[in-house]
């Protein structure tokens, strides 16, 4: 297995403090399947992951066509922002644009608020607006694409942005520290309750594990179960009912839960770092579909660049100098510099 222990999103002082604390309530005996507090808590989240899977089926098809993206004519500057999820004409049923409008997926994306302390715009919905813009313009590019490579590039831009959305939504739900929030986080993860199948982000992480010989997806699945068990125990210790979907515990009430939230989020981000470096490495080696790899790399880089900036402004400036150039000027040297920058920042070896 790859050594991932060098990666530490938390400041060093925080890590030392966590290590020094003796947790009086260690995780209970490990269960082997995720047991939701209530299946209604995550029904919408699992349905949205299902919509993503339907989009992925279209994008991965050898018969992908412009018509399968559907028309998505919206005002990208409309206020309130939810108006950007109301196209002037209804997209064709079953198209990517149509799927984007089901299960409130579009409004959930554009309403996303940045909760990660390392990111810019914390507490604002700029994150949601950025993701919505990437998805919408990806759909629009696909609807006018002329070649299979252009179609694939547009589709992958959409899919990879959704994976970023799942990552952000998982953290947002976990830090509620409520039964509803924890179930919703697991629903967005995309694993089945018994862990045998994976969709959405879980499938992406499982695929990455196979490529670079890590075990992040399995570790995450186990920690979601541990977190669910610890949240139930912490609520009971506080005299609160785990059957109340909104019952919560405060940060610091359970050192175990706090640690699990941090570890899950770290591994999610680490999986995105592996995926991002992997896309730039594939750009170097797969000359036939470089526009596709470029679209994937740009979408994934958007998910990790704020963390890179929080660690080293010089590295971030180098990254932006490379990606702010026109795609036509992007070179093999640029791609290799991005791989090296990501591997150095996260302390990983991202090439098989």
């Amino acid at each position: 297995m790859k050594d991932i222990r060098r990666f530490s999103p938390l400041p060093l002082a925080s890590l030392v403090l966590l290590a020094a604390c003796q947790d009086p309530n260690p995780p209970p005996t490990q269960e082997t399947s995720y047991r939701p507090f209530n299946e209604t808590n995550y029904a919408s989240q699992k349905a949205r992951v299902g919509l993503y899977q339907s989009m992925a089926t279209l994008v991965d098809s050898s018969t992908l066509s412009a018509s399968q993206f559907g028309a998505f004519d919206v005002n990208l500057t409309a206020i309130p922002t939810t108006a950007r999820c109301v196209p002037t004409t209804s997209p064709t049923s079953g198209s990517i644009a149509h799927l984007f409008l089901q299960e409130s997926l579009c409004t959930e994306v554009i309403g996303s608020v940045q909760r990660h302390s390392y990111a810019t715009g914390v507490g604002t919905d700029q994150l949601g607006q950025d993701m919505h813009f990437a998805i919408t313009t990806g759909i629009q590019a696909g609807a006018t694409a002329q070649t299979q490579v252009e179609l694939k590039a547009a589709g992958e831009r959409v899919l990879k942005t959704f994976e970023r959305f799942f990552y952000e939504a998982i953290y947002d739900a976990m830090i509620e520290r409520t039964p509803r929030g924890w179930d919703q986080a697991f629903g967005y993860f995309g694993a089945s309750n018994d862990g045998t199948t994976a969709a959405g982000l879980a499938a992406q992480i499982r695929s990455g594990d196979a490529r670079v010989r890590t075990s992040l997806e399995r570790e995450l699945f186990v920690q979601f179960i541990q977190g669910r068990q610890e949240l139930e125990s912490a609520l009971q210790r506080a005299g609160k009912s785990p059957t109340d979907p909104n019952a919560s515990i405060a940060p610091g009430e359970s050192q175990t839960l706090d640690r699990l939230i941090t570890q899950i989020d770290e591994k999610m981000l680490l999986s995105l770092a592996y995926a991002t470096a992997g896309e730039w490495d594939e750009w170097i080696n797969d000359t036939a579909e470089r526009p596709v790899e470029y679209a994937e790399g740009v979408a994934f880089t958007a998910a990790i660049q704020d963390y890179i900036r929080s660690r080293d402004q010089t590295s971030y400036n180098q990254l932006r100098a490379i990606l702010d150039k026109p795609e036509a000027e992007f070179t093999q040297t640029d791609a290799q510099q991005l791989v090296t920058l990501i591997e150095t920042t996260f302390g990983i070896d991202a090439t098989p």
Side-chain angles (χ1 to χ4, degrees):
M1 296 295 177
K2 299 283 185 177
D3 183 0
I4 63 172
R5 291 173 293 177
R6 290 175 288 167
F7 168 65
S8 301
L10 286 176
L12 180 59
S14 298
L15 290 173
V16 171
L17 180 61
L18 282 174
C21 292
Q22 296 298 315
D23 194 340
N25 301 296
T29 303
Q30 179 62 45
E31 297 178 0
T32 58
S33 292
Y34 186 82
R35 180 169 47 88
F37 289 97
N38 191 313
E39 291 186 352
T40 62
N41 289 336
Y42 61 28
S44 293
Q45 286 67 34
K46 284 183 174 285
R48 291 171 192 142
V49 173
L51 292 171
Y52 163 91
Q53 287 301 131
S54 295
M55 295 181 199
T57 298
L58 292 174
V59 173
D60 291 341
S61 171
S62 60
T63 59
L64 177 64
S65 66
S67 64
Q68 290 175 309
F69 282 85
F72 199 65
D73 49 343
V74 295
N75 180 354
L76 289 173
T77 61
I79 300 296
T81 56
T82 51
R84 302 176 200 179
C85 291
V86 185
T88 55
T89 58
S90 298
T92 304
S93 179
S95 66
I96 292 174
H98 177 259
L99 294 169
F100 186 32
L101 295 175
Q102 306 308 302
E103 294 290 339
S104 302
L105 180 55
C106 183
T107 54
E108 287 294 314
V109 168
I110 203 166
S112 297
V113 173
Q114 180 57 263
R115 304 297 185 190
H116 284 103
S117 61
Y118 64 74
T120 57
V122 175
T124 75
D125 67 353
Q126 187 59 51
L127 167 70
Q129 293 184 52
D130 290 347
M131 292 189 296
H132 176 274
F133 181 84
I135 292 167
T136 299
T137 55
I139 293 172
Q140 292 171 340
T144 58
Q146 301 297 312
T147 68
Q148 281 298 308
V149 170
E150 290 175 349
L151 288 165
K152 184 77 169 177
E156 290 296 345
R157 185 196 314 176
V158 171
L159 295 179
K160 272 35 182 185
T161 304
F162 273 119
E163 289 168 26
R164 178 189 181 189
F165 164 69
F166 293 143
Y167 160 66
E168 299 286 357
I170 287 167
Y171 183 69
D172 193 14
M174 284 195 302
I175 61 175
E176 284 187 15
R177 293 175 172 81
T178 64
R180 179 187 61 187
W182 201 263
D183 281 347
Q184 289 177 342
F186 182 76
Y188 273 137
F189 178 48
S192 61
N193 287 9
D194 63 3
T196 57
T197 61
L201 188 56
Q204 166 66 34
I205 298 171
R206 183 176 291 188
S207 175
D209 284 340
R211 190 178 69 87
V212 294
R213 301 183 303 282
T214 50
S215 57
L216 293 173
E217 191 263 339
R218 183 61 194 176
E219 292 170 24
L220 285 163
F221 176 73
V222 169
Q223 288 181 318
F224 270 115
I225 295 174
Q226 291 176 336
R228 184 252 178 262
Q229 292 178 274
E230 173 56 24
L231 177 57
E232 180 177 40
S233 297
L235 288 169
Q236 291 171 336
R237 291 194 298 269
K240 300 177 181 179
S241 173
T243 61
D244 177 357
N246 298 312
S248 65
I249 61 170
E253 273 192 78
S254 168
Q255 294 166 21
T256 297
L257 186 63
D258 291 346
R259 184 173 63 249
L260 286 167
I261 290 172
T262 297
Q263 290 173 344
I264 289 171
D265 190 54
E266 286 180 353
K267 288 175 181 176
M268 292 280 186
L269 183 59
L270 186 60
S271 74
L272 290 172
Y274 271 115
T276 308
E279 294 300 344
W280 294 127
D281 184 62
E282 286 186 28
W283 187 95
I284 295 170
N285 297 297
D286 186 4
T287 58
E289 291 199 339
R290 278 185 167 173
V292 179
E293 307 304 341
Y294 185 85
E296 292 177 304
V298 168
F300 272 145
T301 301
I304 66 171
Q305 65 179 9
D306 273 349
Y307 175 74
I308 293 173
R309 175 165 35 194
S310 75
R311 300 289 282 186
D312 183 56
Q313 184 69 41
T314 300
S315 294
Y316 173 79
N317 291 343
Q318 180 187 359
L319 179 153
R320 289 314 325 164
I322 292 171
L323 292 180
D324 287 342
K325 299 187 299 184
E327 181 180 351
E329 298 177 14
F330 188 78
T331 67
Q332 184 161 323
T333 299
D334 291 330
Q336 187 57 62
Q337 286 179 339
L338 289 174
V339 172
T340 301
L341 185 155
I342 294 166
E343 289 184 329
T344 300
T345 300
F346 289 88
I348 59 175
D349 176 4
T351 56

